[in-house]
Amino acid sequence: VQLQASGGGLIQPGGSLMLSCTASTNIINFNVMAWYRRSPGKERELVARITSGDITDYGDSAKGRFTISRDIDKNAVYLQMKALEPEDTAVYYCNAYYVRDRRYDYWGQGTLVTVSS
């Protein structure tokens, strides 16, 4: 299974950006798909996640500004980010997992988002 993240770039404060993550397999196989981020000098943190039942959950930094969604037909998960702040600057990683006899985790390569004027 491969996850391909894209959509990062340089954006001015207050701007919007949409990240995409495309899976090489049918995403209905995953229990959860999520976006994490790692900022310089900080630990990785959960940004948002979506379950196979389309239940969403957000990290505190994302609430009210970011929206996670998925498209089963395109095998993709998205992160719509609005009102971006310099503190949102980070490498954003796509994650997906399913549980059978154990948890199977998969990670994308990361896409850099830089919020700066």
Side-chain angles (χ1 to χ4, degrees):
V1 176
Q2 293 184 335
L3 301 176
Q4 182 70 42
S6 62
L10 175 63
I11 188 76
Q12 291 188 342
S16 299
L17 205 60
M18 176 175 278
L19 305 183
S20 301
C21 174
T22 302
S24 62
T25 187
N26 197 323
I27 65 170
I28 65 172
N29 295 319
F30 296 119
N31 296 104
V32 175
M33 297 190 76
W35 288 96
Y36 287 79
R37 70 184 186 187
R38 176 171 283 158
S39 303
K42 296 184 179 180
E43 294 187 354
R44 185 179 64 199
E45 64 172 332
L46 173 70
V47 178
R49 59 189 168 198
I50 185 167
T51 71
S52 56
D54 287 325
I55 297 172
T56 58
D57 184 32
Y58 296 91
D60 288 341
S61 62
K63 290 179 181 177
R65 298 188 300 129
F66 296 178
T67 303
I68 189 170
S69 61
R70 64 179 189 147
D71 188 328
I72 294 174
D73 292 336
K74 295 183 179 179
N75 290 322
V77 64
Y78 306 101
L79 184 69
Q80 176 68 56
M81 304 185 291
K82 297 181 179 180
L84 284 162
E85 305 166 349
E87 292 72 24
D88 295 315
T89 295
V91 178
Y92 285 72
Y93 297 91
C94 177
N95 167 263
Y97 75 82
Y98 66 89
V99 179
R100 296 291 184 268
D101 55 314
R102 62 175 178 85
R103 174 169 162 163
Y104 295 82
D105 267 275
Y106 301 93
W107 291 90
Q109 83 286 6
T111 184
L112 176 63
V113 174
T114 303
V115 184
S116 175
S117 55

